[in-house]
Amino acid sequence: MSIHSASPDVLVSGGGAAALAAAIEAAQAGAQVLLLDAAPPALRGGNTRHSRNFRCAHLAPTPFTPDAYRPDEFRADLTRTGADAADPALLDALVTGSAALPDWLAAQGVALQRAGDGRLPYSRKTAFFLGGGTAAVRALTDRALALGVQIRHGVGVTGLELDGRRVVAAVTTAEDVAAGAQVLACGAAHADPDWLRRHWGEAAAGFINRGTPHARGELLQWLMAAGAEPAGDPAGLYLVAVDARSPAHDGGIVTRIRGMPLGIVVDNAGLRGHDEGADTASTRYARWGRRLADLPGQTGWLVLDAAGLAAAPAALYPPIRAPSIADLATATGIDADGLAATVANYNASIRPPADRADAAGWRTAGLVPPKSAHARPIAEPPFAAYPMRPGVTFAHHGVAVDAATRVRWADGTQLDNAFAAGMIMAANLIPRGYVSGLAVSISLVFGRLAGRAASRCGGGDGQC
Amino acid sequence: MGSAEPTRPAGGAAADGNDAEARRQLAVCNICNYCNGLCAVFDAAERRARLAPGDLDLLANLCHQCRSCLYDCQYAPPHAFDVNLPRALARQRWASYRAYAWPSALAVLFAGGGRWFPGLALGITVAFTAAVLLAVPSSVLFSAQVGEGAFYRIIPWWLMVAGAGLGFGWAILAIGMGVRRFWRTTAPAMAVSAPPAAAAATATLEVLTLTNQRGGGPGCADIDHRPSRLRRRFHHALFYGFLLCFAATLAASGYHHLLGRAAPYPLLSLPVLLGMLGGLGMVAGTVGLLWLAHREDPAPTDPDSRGADRALLWLLLAVAVTGLALLALRETAAMGLLLAVHLGTVLALFVLAPYGKLVHGAYRAAALMRDALERRGR
């Protein structure tokens, strides 16, 4: 049986925010649209399912974003994060397009959470989906269906059939689908264990995927092999420290371990490697994710005493507890002598501040590496440990695009009628680093652009 | 490190009962928090991170069965975390009705998802009607009674007042005692709290408008995942219809005692107009809610107590329909029997009110009051 009723004008591969935005825009422009999502219906929405907010420029307070976030500030944040070498036209498209997102989303039936409802943290740079990204995905899906978009789940696009620089058809896990234009929005390859192993070796086996298992990047890998221009770093992963007991995929936001500043972090030998007090901002999540990837077995342990545990942010899984450091070593498998020596040295090197109530002022002296803040003794039983591993969040690797989101080829040309959006091309703008809400904004802004551009290719009459 | 990779976090098998399952799920919610714009439950849960048994009962009764949080949840089944909070809280809520029921010996009436309720309601109605059939001579019961005092020729005024007073008094007493226990068990999450009057005003407004059944704005998942305002509107029709019927009764007693006029009253009198409007509202509300119960996705509901929800709706519908029929046919020979059946359903409603779904209103009002005290006190 055919996976579509008629040859579509526009084929959209992917199921997240970029794919849905592209499908909606193309359908609104009058195109017959077929969307192929590799995931089953229950996992629809790619990694947008796990998202919460998106970054958007605005010159004045809105119901969803207080104060202002000027376009030049957004640009500066992007270049500071790592997009300093990005195509200025893409940066402009993102910043300008982001400002239109709240109104556009409202028109599609996506509800946003009011900034002044007393339940959101102050955030002038990002707006929040009411109910989170899964709610947004449902609303966008309903909207696409209402516009006549055909959606097929469980079918992934794995390659393209080219005639020169023109895409004739998409190769899928079912049959080939000919279309006038293609929107490539099926994400990067970080959920593919083979791809991870190619770039990270044996360490890849220790990684946990926080998002959809369907971000396997078959199409991205095909594009790279066929001669597309890469963007970002193939070994670049955004890693966050997560509980090692998390499910292999889709753990999302709740599996993060956040209490590093309140304890010490050791490896399986019981040895510290980094200053746990140096970074208490949200940037610490990614710092620790990257460090864990370099530890033996990609495993680290956050060790806390009773006071540290009480002050630490809530975590999903209960910590492993023990009445003494020696028992904790037994319960966790951390080397007992190593852990005992590390804790003893650490406690002995602590220098309390003049004002002992100043928690941040506690630091170590003569310890290598030091703990430069929050260095409270690990003394009060029971002791606790969280096992941690790197959690793969997204990849800083994708395909290069021009300002019209057309896929660029390494020989300087570009595909005539294939437009990339979302995490398959996000590395053009986030080749490293991250700021919150950026991925969803990139997906929606470039999804819309790609959908409109694809719709202009019409029924394959070669107008684009 | 242990090799086990548990996928149902926060320690506790689902089999440990309602408490353990609701606690397990809310622990996931308390870290995620994506749903905190949908209703008051999520913020209240965050304020009581310990999730003690009383906390769970409070949160369960704060939940308005909006259901959006299931469809918005990234951890909903088939995810390994298996979060279906509307169902877990519906179970917890029903268990809480049983736990706080007064007198405790009658808590058994909540057993099995309220399986005794339909039979008892029918039994009380039938028994009352049979008593009237036996006590009132057929010549009076089955002949048209018109003019002032017509109703009291079927059932004496003193008996009607005594029955209604005792039934209503019983309902107020039993529900009040349950709420008192609920209030004492659901300890406040914090020492600071708002002035009670201001909090009461907030809570009252939230009861009257069902603020928490707006899904944070767009509506709730009444039938499927799509936002809808149907349940809230049907509930309003039923709730305000019920209040109008109550007001009709008060107006009638005013006519009786202050104006010295005995029922039945003319069509364009206050008691009849209020009662008619209220009855129509109750019919619209109950029929609408029963239609929703028929159409709704069962996934976010508690299969065990779904029958009790419907039983109460049928009883309320019976009260309204027999009342309207009584009004329409009050000058015919059918009046006597209709009066008996109508008063039988009202008696059943009052007597059984503390042991069925109707208690949700009282516990929810108390939960909203607790929540308002904490929110305004922050």
Side-chain angles (χ1 to χ4, degrees), chain A residues 50-52 113 119 130-131 134-135 138 142 245 250-254 301 315-317 332, chain B residues 1 6 9-10 31 34 36-37 39-40 43 71-72 74-75 79 81 215 218 225-226:
Chain A
H50 294 296
S51 70
R52 176 69 158 120
Q113 193 167 346
R119 293 165 174 168
L130 182 69
T134 301
R138 280 190 186 274
D142 285 346
R245 298 163 291 183
D250 263 333
I253 190 78
V254 299
W301 298 87
L316 186 64
Y317 298 98
T332 55
Chain B
M1 192 187 81
I31 301 172
Y34 281 17
N36 68 2
C39 72
D43 253 20
Y71 302 99
D72 293 353
Q74 58 187 311
Y75 303 115
H79 194 282
F81 292 172
H225 68 273
R226 286 171 294 186

mmCIF file of all heavy atoms in Angstrom, chain A residues 50-52 113 119 130-131 134-135 138 142 245 250-254 301 315-317 332, chain B residues 1 6 9-10 31 34 36-37 39-40 43 71-72 74-75 79 81 215 218 225-226:
data_model
loop_
_atom_site.group_PDB
_atom_site.id
_atom_site.type_symbol
_atom_site.label_atom_id
_atom_site.label_comp_id
_atom_site.label_asym_id
_atom_site.label_seq_id
_atom_site.Cartn_x
_atom_site.Cartn_y
_atom_site.Cartn_z
ATOM 1 N N HIS A 50 10.200 17.482 24.336
ATOM 2 C CA HIS A 50 10.875 17.671 25.625
ATOM 3 C C HIS A 50 11.181 19.131 25.917
ATOM 4 O O HIS A 50 11.819 19.443 26.916
ATOM 5 C CB HIS A 50 12.181 16.876 25.649
ATOM 6 C CG HIS A 50 11.982 15.387 25.597
ATOM 7 N ND1 HIS A 50 11.336 14.704 26.596
ATOM 8 C CD2 HIS A 50 12.313 14.471 24.669
ATOM 9 C CE1 HIS A 50 11.307 13.409 26.286
ATOM 10 N NE2 HIS A 50 11.884 13.250 25.115
ATOM 11 N N SER A 51 10.765 20.018 25.018
ATOM 12 C CA SER A 51 11.151 21.422 25.174
ATOM 13 C C SER A 51 10.170 22.161 26.066
ATOM 14 O O SER A 51 9.094 21.650 26.400
ATOM 15 C CB SER A 51 11.218 22.083 23.804
ATOM 16 O OG SER A 51 9.912 22.209 23.270
ATOM 17 N N ARG A 52 10.535 23.362 26.436
ATOM 18 C CA ARG A 52 9.684 24.146 27.327
ATOM 19 C C ARG A 52 9.478 25.563 26.802
ATOM 20 O O ARG A 52 8.416 26.123 26.912
ATOM 21 C CB ARG A 52 10.326 24.192 28.723
ATOM 22 C CG ARG A 52 9.611 25.058 29.748
ATOM 23 C CD ARG A 52 8.274 24.465 30.142
ATOM 24 N NE ARG A 52 7.800 24.953 31.436
ATOM 25 C CZ ARG A 52 6.657 25.608 31.611
ATOM 26 N NH1 ARG A 52 5.885 25.891 30.581
ATOM 27 N NH2 ARG A 52 6.278 25.978 32.816
ATOM 28 N N GLN A 113 2.332 30.438 27.957
ATOM 29 C CA GLN A 113 2.071 30.704 29.375
ATOM 30 C C GLN A 113 2.318 32.175 29.676
ATOM 31 O O GLN A 113 3.341 32.728 29.261
ATOM 32 C CB GLN A 113 2.978 29.812 30.234
ATOM 33 C CG GLN A 113 2.575 29.765 31.698
ATOM 34 C CD GLN A 113 3.268 28.645 32.451
ATOM 35 O OE1 GLN A 113 3.845 27.736 31.848
ATOM 36 N NE2 GLN A 113 3.216 28.689 33.760
ATOM 37 N N ARG A 119 4.038 31.774 38.278
ATOM 38 C CA ARG A 119 4.508 30.386 38.301
ATOM 39 C C ARG A 119 5.741 30.192 37.439
ATOM 40 O O ARG A 119 6.357 29.138 37.483
ATOM 41 C CB ARG A 119 3.396 29.462 37.810
ATOM 42 C CG ARG A 119 2.227 29.422 38.780
ATOM 43 C CD ARG A 119 1.004 28.810 38.147
ATOM 44 N NE ARG A 119 -0.064 28.663 39.131
ATOM 45 C CZ ARG A 119 -1.316 28.373 38.818
ATOM 46 N NH1 ARG A 119 -1.655 28.176 37.575
ATOM 47 N NH2 ARG A 119 -2.232 28.265 39.745
ATOM 48 N N LEU A 130 2.581 26.856 27.109
ATOM 49 C CA LEU A 130 1.688 26.399 28.172
ATOM 50 C C LEU A 130 1.602 24.871 28.094
ATOM 51 O O LEU A 130 1.236 24.327 27.060
ATOM 52 C CB LEU A 130 0.295 27.015 27.994
ATOM 53 C CG LEU A 130 -0.735 26.652 29.059
ATOM 54 C CD1 LEU A 130 -0.393 27.287 30.405
ATOM 55 C CD2 LEU A 130 -2.132 27.090 28.622
ATOM 56 N N GLY A 131 1.986 24.205 29.187
ATOM 57 C CA GLY A 131 1.976 22.741 29.166
ATOM 58 C C GLY A 131 3.227 22.134 28.545
ATOM 59 O O GLY A 131 3.346 20.916 28.481
ATOM 60 N N THR A 134 5.290 19.279 24.452
ATOM 61 C CA THR A 134 4.369 18.236 23.986
ATOM 62 C C THR A 134 3.006 18.844 23.645
ATOM 63 O O THR A 134 2.371 18.459 22.657
ATOM 64 C CB THR A 134 4.228 17.141 25.054
ATOM 65 O OG1 THR A 134 5.534 16.606 25.303
ATOM 66 C CG2 THR A 134 3.332 16.007 24.587
ATOM 67 N N ALA A 135 2.578 19.805 24.442
ATOM 68 C CA ALA A 135 1.315 20.489 24.152
ATOM 69 C C ALA A 135 1.433 21.255 22.833
ATOM 70 O O ALA A 135 0.504 21.250 22.016
ATOM 71 C CB ALA A 135 0.960 21.437 25.299
ATOM 72 N N ARG A 138 1.206 18.906 19.874
ATOM 73 C CA ARG A 138 -0.176 18.472 19.613
ATOM 74 C C ARG A 138 -0.955 19.545 18.865
ATOM 75 O O ARG A 138 -1.676 19.252 17.906
ATOM 76 C CB ARG A 138 -0.890 18.153 20.929
ATOM 77 C CG ARG A 138 -0.534 16.805 21.466
ATOM 78 C CD ARG A 138 -1.454 16.438 22.624
ATOM 79 N NE ARG A 138 -1.012 15.196 23.227
ATOM 80 C CZ ARG A 138 -1.377 13.995 22.790
ATOM 81 N NH1 ARG A 138 -2.189 13.881 21.758
ATOM 82 N NH2 ARG A 138 -0.926 12.918 23.393
ATOM 83 N N ASP A 142 -2.450 19.215 15.099
ATOM 84 C CA ASP A 142 -3.871 19.445 14.789
ATOM 85 C C ASP A 142 -4.013 20.477 13.669
ATOM 86 O O ASP A 142 -4.833 20.328 12.767
ATOM 87 C CB ASP A 142 -4.610 19.952 16.031
ATOM 88 C CG ASP A 142 -4.849 18.840 17.042
ATOM 89 O OD1 ASP A 142 -4.683 17.663 16.666
ATOM 90 O OD2 ASP A 142 -5.197 19.150 18.193
ATOM 91 N N ARG A 245 21.165 6.105 36.093
ATOM 92 C CA ARG A 245 20.091 5.112 36.078
ATOM 93 C C ARG A 245 18.942 5.498 35.148
ATOM 94 O O ARG A 245 17.928 4.825 35.099
ATOM 95 C CB ARG A 245 19.576 4.923 37.517
ATOM 96 C CG ARG A 245 20.654 4.400 38.452
ATOM 97 C CD ARG A 245 20.283 4.593 39.922
ATOM 98 N NE ARG A 245 20.293 6.004 40.306
ATOM 99 C CZ ARG A 245 20.061 6.443 41.543
ATOM 100 N NH1 ARG A 245 19.790 5.584 42.504
ATOM 101 N NH2 ARG A 245 20.092 7.732 41.808
ATOM 102 N N ASP A 250 14.995 9.433 25.945
ATOM 103 C CA ASP A 250 13.766 10.157 26.270
ATOM 104 C C ASP A 250 13.593 10.526 27.741
ATOM 105 O O ASP A 250 12.478 10.805 28.173
ATOM 106 C CB ASP A 250 12.524 9.338 25.830
ATOM 107 C CG ASP A 250 12.021 9.808 24.471
ATOM 108 O OD1 ASP A 250 12.252 10.983 24.132
ATOM 109 O OD2 ASP A 250 11.406 8.995 23.760
ATOM 110 N N GLY A 251 14.665 10.536 28.515
ATOM 111 C CA GLY A 251 14.542 10.932 29.917
ATOM 112 C C GLY A 251 14.194 12.399 30.075
ATOM 113 O O GLY A 251 13.656 12.818 31.093
ATOM 114 N N GLY A 252 14.535 13.205 29.061
ATOM 115 C CA GLY A 252 14.114 14.603 29.057
ATOM 116 C C GLY A 252 14.722 15.440 30.165
ATOM 117 O O GLY A 252 15.876 15.242 30.558
ATOM 118 N N ILE A 253 13.912 16.333 30.701
ATOM 119 C CA ILE A 253 14.402 17.352 31.619
ATOM 120 C C ILE A 253 14.651 16.814 33.030
ATOM 121 O O ILE A 253 15.472 17.340 33.764
ATOM 122 C CB ILE A 253 13.386 18.526 31.670
ATOM 123 C CG1 ILE A 253 13.940 19.739 32.412
ATOM 124 C CG2 ILE A 253 12.078 18.093 32.317
ATOM 125 C CD1 ILE A 253 14.899 20.543 31.611
ATOM 126 N N VAL A 254 13.967 15.749 33.430
ATOM 127 C CA VAL A 254 13.954 15.400 34.853
ATOM 128 C C VAL A 254 15.138 14.565 35.324
ATOM 129 O O VAL A 254 15.300 14.365 36.518
ATOM 130 C CB VAL A 254 12.645 14.670 35.258
ATOM 131 C CG1 VAL A 254 11.438 15.542 35.010
ATOM 132 C CG2 VAL A 254 12.517 13.336 34.539
ATOM 133 N N TRP A 301 30.516 10.417 40.239
ATOM 134 C CA TRP A 301 29.635 10.312 41.404
ATOM 135 C C TRP A 301 29.575 11.662 42.107
ATOM 136 O O TRP A 301 30.609 12.246 42.425
ATOM 137 C CB TRP A 301 30.168 9.271 42.385
ATOM 138 C CG TRP A 301 30.229 7.883 41.808
ATOM 139 C CD1 TRP A 301 31.254 7.336 41.091
ATOM 140 C CD2 TRP A 301 29.211 6.892 41.888
ATOM 141 N NE1 TRP A 301 30.946 6.055 40.727
ATOM 142 C CE2 TRP A 301 29.684 5.746 41.204
ATOM 143 C CE3 TRP A 301 27.940 6.842 42.481
ATOM 144 C CZ2 TRP A 301 28.934 4.572 41.095
ATOM 145 C CZ3 TRP A 301 27.203 5.681 42.374
ATOM 146 C CH2 TRP A 301 27.705 4.565 41.684
ATOM 147 N N ALA A 315 16.000 15.453 42.907
ATOM 148 C CA ALA A 315 16.427 14.595 41.807
ATOM 149 C C ALA A 315 15.426 13.465 41.651
ATOM 150 O O ALA A 315 14.677 13.140 42.569
ATOM 151 C CB ALA A 315 17.824 14.036 42.065
ATOM 152 N N LEU A 316 15.418 12.891 40.468
ATOM 153 C CA LEU A 316 14.399 11.908 40.127
ATOM 154 C C LEU A 316 14.555 10.608 40.918
ATOM 155 O O LEU A 316 13.625 10.105 41.515
ATOM 156 C CB LEU A 316 14.481 11.621 38.633
ATOM 157 C CG LEU A 316 13.398 10.727 38.068
ATOM 158 C CD1 LEU A 316 12.040 11.382 38.186
ATOM 159 C CD2 LEU A 316 13.703 10.394 36.620
ATOM 160 N N TYR A 317 15.758 10.064 40.868
ATOM 161 C CA TYR A 317 16.007 8.798 41.551
ATOM 162 C C TYR A 317 16.581 9.084 42.921
ATOM 163 O O TYR A 317 17.350 10.031 43.089
ATOM 164 C CB TYR A 317 16.999 7.943 40.764
ATOM 165 C CG TYR A 317 16.510 7.556 39.391
ATOM 166 C CD1 TYR A 317 16.906 8.278 38.278
ATOM 167 C CD2 TYR A 317 15.664 6.467 39.218
ATOM 168 C CE1 TYR A 317 16.459 7.927 37.004
ATOM 169 C CE2 TYR A 317 15.222 6.117 37.960
ATOM 170 C CZ TYR A 317 15.623 6.845 36.849
ATOM 171 O OH TYR A 317 15.176 6.499 35.609
ATOM 172 N N THR A 332 28.400 1.765 46.408
ATOM 173 C CA THR A 332 28.472 2.337 45.066
ATOM 174 C C THR A 332 29.487 1.635 44.178
ATOM 175 O O THR A 332 29.396 1.700 42.955
ATOM 176 C CB THR A 332 28.883 3.826 45.131
ATOM 177 O OG1 THR A 332 30.118 3.914 45.856
ATOM 178 C CG2 THR A 332 27.815 4.659 45.826
ATOM 179 N N MET B 1 28.689 0.833 40.824
ATOM 180 C CA MET B 1 27.316 1.241 40.482
ATOM 181 C C MET B 1 26.477 0.003 40.265
ATOM 182 O O MET B 1 26.914 -0.979 39.698
ATOM 183 C CB MET B 1 27.353 2.076 39.220
ATOM 184 C CG MET B 1 26.058 2.779 38.940
ATOM 185 S SD MET B 1 26.114 3.566 37.332
ATOM 186 C CE MET B 1 25.749 2.223 36.262
ATOM 187 N N PRO B 6 16.451 1.029 36.949
ATOM 188 C CA PRO B 6 15.015 1.178 37.179
ATOM 189 C C PRO B 6 14.453 2.278 36.289
ATOM 190 O O PRO B 6 15.089 3.313 36.120
ATOM 191 C CB PRO B 6 14.913 1.576 38.648
ATOM 192 C CG PRO B 6 16.234 2.153 38.987
ATOM 193 C CD PRO B 6 17.233 1.466 38.108
ATOM 194 N N PRO B 9 10.938 5.817 38.507
ATOM 195 C CA PRO B 9 11.790 6.443 39.499
ATOM 196 C C PRO B 9 11.101 6.703 40.839
ATOM 197 O O PRO B 9 9.927 6.417 41.008
ATOM 198 C CB PRO B 9 12.150 7.762 38.839
ATOM 199 C CG PRO B 9 11.042 8.028 37.901
ATOM 200 C CD PRO B 9 10.537 6.705 37.436
ATOM 201 N N ALA B 10 11.875 7.287 41.746
ATOM 202 C CA ALA B 10 11.418 7.778 43.042
ATOM 203 C C ALA B 10 10.881 6.674 43.933
ATOM 204 O O ALA B 10 9.923 6.838 44.665
ATOM 205 C CB ALA B 10 10.383 8.876 42.891
ATOM 206 N N ILE B 31 9.916 17.886 39.520
ATOM 207 C CA ILE B 31 11.190 18.232 38.900
ATOM 208 C C ILE B 31 10.942 18.848 37.531
ATOM 209 O O ILE B 31 11.594 19.804 37.131
ATOM 210 C CB ILE B 31 12.092 16.994 38.790
ATOM 211 C CG1 ILE B 31 12.343 16.413 40.185
ATOM 212 C CG2 ILE B 31 13.417 17.349 38.140
ATOM 213 C CD1 ILE B 31 13.065 15.099 40.154
ATOM 214 N N TYR B 34 6.713 21.454 33.824
ATOM 215 C CA TYR B 34 6.254 22.061 32.577
ATOM 216 C C TYR B 34 4.778 22.432 32.640
ATOM 217 O O TYR B 34 4.324 23.295 31.911
ATOM 218 C CB TYR B 34 6.464 21.089 31.401
ATOM 219 C CG TYR B 34 7.870 21.005 30.869
ATOM 220 C CD1 TYR B 34 8.948 21.475 31.591
ATOM 221 C CD2 TYR B 34 8.114 20.445 29.622
ATOM 222 C CE1 TYR B 34 10.233 21.376 31.097
ATOM 223 C CE2 TYR B 34 9.395 20.346 29.109
ATOM 224 C CZ TYR B 34 10.459 20.810 29.851
ATOM 225 O OH TYR B 34 11.724 20.708 29.348
ATOM 226 N N ASN B 36 3.023 23.698 35.078
ATOM 227 C CA ASN B 36 2.587 24.554 36.182
ATOM 228 C C ASN B 36 1.664 25.688 35.772
ATOM 229 O O ASN B 36 1.045 26.312 36.622
ATOM 230 C CB ASN B 36 3.780 25.061 37.006
ATOM 231 C CG ASN B 36 4.651 26.032 36.234
ATOM 232 O OD1 ASN B 36 4.356 26.368 35.075
ATOM 233 N ND2 ASN B 36 5.720 26.490 36.845
ATOM 234 N N GLY B 37 1.528 25.933 34.468
ATOM 235 C CA GLY B 37 0.583 26.958 34.039
ATOM 236 C C GLY B 37 -0.840 26.441 33.885
ATOM 237 O O GLY B 37 -1.757 27.224 33.654
ATOM 238 N N CYS B 39 -2.878 24.574 36.051
ATOM 239 C CA CYS B 39 -3.808 24.673 37.186
ATOM 240 C C CYS B 39 -2.991 24.835 38.457
ATOM 241 O O CYS B 39 -1.773 24.905 38.431
ATOM 242 C CB CYS B 39 -4.695 23.429 37.288
ATOM 243 S SG CYS B 39 -3.813 21.961 37.866
ATOM 244 N N ALA B 40 -3.683 24.859 39.594
ATOM 245 C CA ALA B 40 -3.027 25.131 40.873
ATOM 246 C C ALA B 40 -2.265 23.934 41.434
ATOM 247 O O ALA B 40 -1.462 24.085 42.345
ATOM 248 C CB ALA B 40 -4.071 25.590 41.888
ATOM 249 N N ASP B 43 1.971 23.965 41.355
ATOM 250 C CA ASP B 43 2.626 24.853 42.307
ATOM 251 C C ASP B 43 2.434 24.362 43.738
ATOM 252 O O ASP B 43 3.359 24.396 44.548
ATOM 253 C CB ASP B 43 2.036 26.261 42.179
ATOM 254 C CG ASP B 43 3.003 27.208 41.499
ATOM 255 O OD1 ASP B 43 3.919 26.703 40.822
ATOM 256 O OD2 ASP B 43 2.852 28.419 41.674
ATOM 257 N N TYR B 71 -2.215 14.829 28.364
ATOM 258 C CA TYR B 71 -1.904 14.957 26.941
ATOM 259 C C TYR B 71 -0.691 15.861 26.706
ATOM 260 O O TYR B 71 -0.065 15.794 25.665
ATOM 261 C CB TYR B 71 -3.124 15.490 26.195
ATOM 262 C CG TYR B 71 -4.319 14.588 26.374
ATOM 263 C CD1 TYR B 71 -5.312 14.884 27.307
ATOM 264 C CD2 TYR B 71 -4.421 13.409 25.651
ATOM 265 C CE1 TYR B 71 -6.394 14.045 27.488
ATOM 266 C CE2 TYR B 71 -5.500 12.554 25.830
ATOM 267 C CZ TYR B 71 -6.482 12.878 26.756
ATOM 268 O OH TYR B 71 -7.540 12.035 26.937
ATOM 269 N N ASP B 72 -0.388 16.715 27.679
ATOM 270 C CA ASP B 72 0.760 17.604 27.541
ATOM 271 C C ASP B 72 2.039 16.971 28.077
ATOM 272 O O ASP B 72 3.107 17.577 28.014
ATOM 273 C CB ASP B 72 0.506 18.910 28.310
ATOM 274 C CG ASP B 72 -0.612 19.731 27.677
ATOM 275 O OD1 ASP B 72 -1.087 19.350 26.592
ATOM 276 O OD2 ASP B 72 -1.008 20.746 28.274
ATOM 277 N N GLN B 74 5.307 14.803 28.602
ATOM 278 C CA GLN B 74 6.336 14.080 27.845
ATOM 279 C C GLN B 74 6.612 12.703 28.455
ATOM 280 O O GLN B 74 7.305 11.894 27.855
ATOM 281 C CB GLN B 74 7.613 14.913 27.793
ATOM 282 C CG GLN B 74 8.176 15.258 29.167
ATOM 283 C CD GLN B 74 9.347 16.210 29.109
ATOM 284 O OE1 GLN B 74 10.279 16.009 28.355
ATOM 285 N NE2 GLN B 74 9.299 17.276 29.900
ATOM 286 N N TYR B 75 6.073 12.434 29.640
ATOM 287 C CA TYR B 75 6.322 11.157 30.320
ATOM 288 C C TYR B 75 5.073 10.281 30.400
ATOM 289 O O TYR B 75 5.024 9.312 31.157
ATOM 290 C CB TYR B 75 6.872 11.405 31.724
ATOM 291 C CG TYR B 75 8.140 12.227 31.695
ATOM 292 C CD1 TYR B 75 8.197 13.503 32.239
ATOM 293 C CD2 TYR B 75 9.273 11.728 31.058
ATOM 294 C CE1 TYR B 75 9.359 14.263 32.168
ATOM 295 C CE2 TYR B 75 10.431 12.482 30.980
ATOM 296 C CZ TYR B 75 10.468 13.745 31.541
ATOM 297 O OH TYR B 75 11.612 14.482 31.462
ATOM 298 N N HIS B 79 5.683 6.069 27.768
ATOM 299 C CA HIS B 79 6.998 6.357 28.345
ATOM 300 C C HIS B 79 7.221 5.497 29.588
ATOM 301 O O HIS B 79 6.268 5.185 30.319
ATOM 302 C CB HIS B 79 7.084 7.838 28.722
ATOM 303 C CG HIS B 79 8.488 8.291 29.007
ATOM 304 N ND1 HIS B 79 9.117 8.019 30.197
ATOM 305 C CD2 HIS B 79 9.377 8.958 28.250
ATOM 306 C CE1 HIS B 79 10.338 8.523 30.159
ATOM 307 N NE2 HIS B 79 10.525 9.095 28.984
ATOM 308 N N PHE B 81 8.361 6.217 32.362
ATOM 309 C CA PHE B 81 7.999 6.846 33.640
ATOM 310 C C PHE B 81 6.499 6.736 33.922
ATOM 311 O O PHE B 81 6.073 6.929 35.057
ATOM 312 C CB PHE B 81 8.424 8.318 33.669
ATOM 313 C CG PHE B 81 9.918 8.518 33.691
ATOM 314 C CD1 PHE B 81 10.468 9.792 33.558
ATOM 315 C CD2 PHE B 81 10.784 7.443 33.837
ATOM 316 C CE1 PHE B 81 11.843 9.984 33.570
ATOM 317 C CE2 PHE B 81 12.167 7.629 33.852
ATOM 318 C CZ PHE B 81 12.698 8.905 33.715
ATOM 319 N N GLY B 215 -7.628 25.024 32.119
ATOM 320 C CA GLY B 215 -6.395 24.523 31.514
ATOM 321 C C GLY B 215 -5.379 25.639 31.299
ATOM 322 O O GLY B 215 -4.610 25.597 30.341
ATOM 323 N N PRO B 218 -6.715 28.032 27.512
ATOM 324 C CA PRO B 218 -7.395 27.543 26.314
ATOM 325 C C PRO B 218 -8.522 26.556 26.590
ATOM 326 O O PRO B 218 -9.365 26.336 25.728
ATOM 327 C CB PRO B 218 -6.276 26.862 25.516
ATOM 328 C CG PRO B 218 -5.228 26.540 26.517
ATOM 329 C CD PRO B 218 -5.327 27.561 27.602
ATOM 330 N N HIS B 225 -7.543 15.159 23.397
ATOM 331 C CA HIS B 225 -6.490 16.081 23.810
ATOM 332 C C HIS B 225 -6.812 17.540 23.508
ATOM 333 O O HIS B 225 -6.192 18.435 24.040
ATOM 334 C CB HIS B 225 -5.178 15.700 23.113
ATOM 335 C CG HIS B 225 -5.216 15.945 21.633
ATOM 336 N ND1 HIS B 225 -5.695 15.009 20.741
ATOM 337 C CD2 HIS B 225 -4.879 17.017 20.882
ATOM 338 C CE1 HIS B 225 -5.637 15.482 19.518
ATOM 339 N NE2 HIS B 225 -5.138 16.704 19.569
ATOM 340 N N ARG B 226 -7.804 17.801 22.650
ATOM 341 C CA ARG B 226 -8.046 19.180 22.229
ATOM 342 C C ARG B 226 -8.693 20.009 23.338
ATOM 343 O O ARG B 226 -9.576 19.523 24.030
ATOM 344 C CB ARG B 226 -8.918 19.193 20.974
ATOM 345 C CG ARG B 226 -8.150 18.777 19.734
ATOM 346 C CD ARG B 226 -9.061 18.584 18.568
ATOM 347 N NE ARG B 226 -9.959 17.452 18.801
ATOM 348 C CZ ARG B 226 -10.795 16.971 17.905
ATOM 349 N NH1 ARG B 226 -10.862 17.524 16.719
ATOM 350 N NH2 ARG B 226 -11.571 15.949 18.189
#
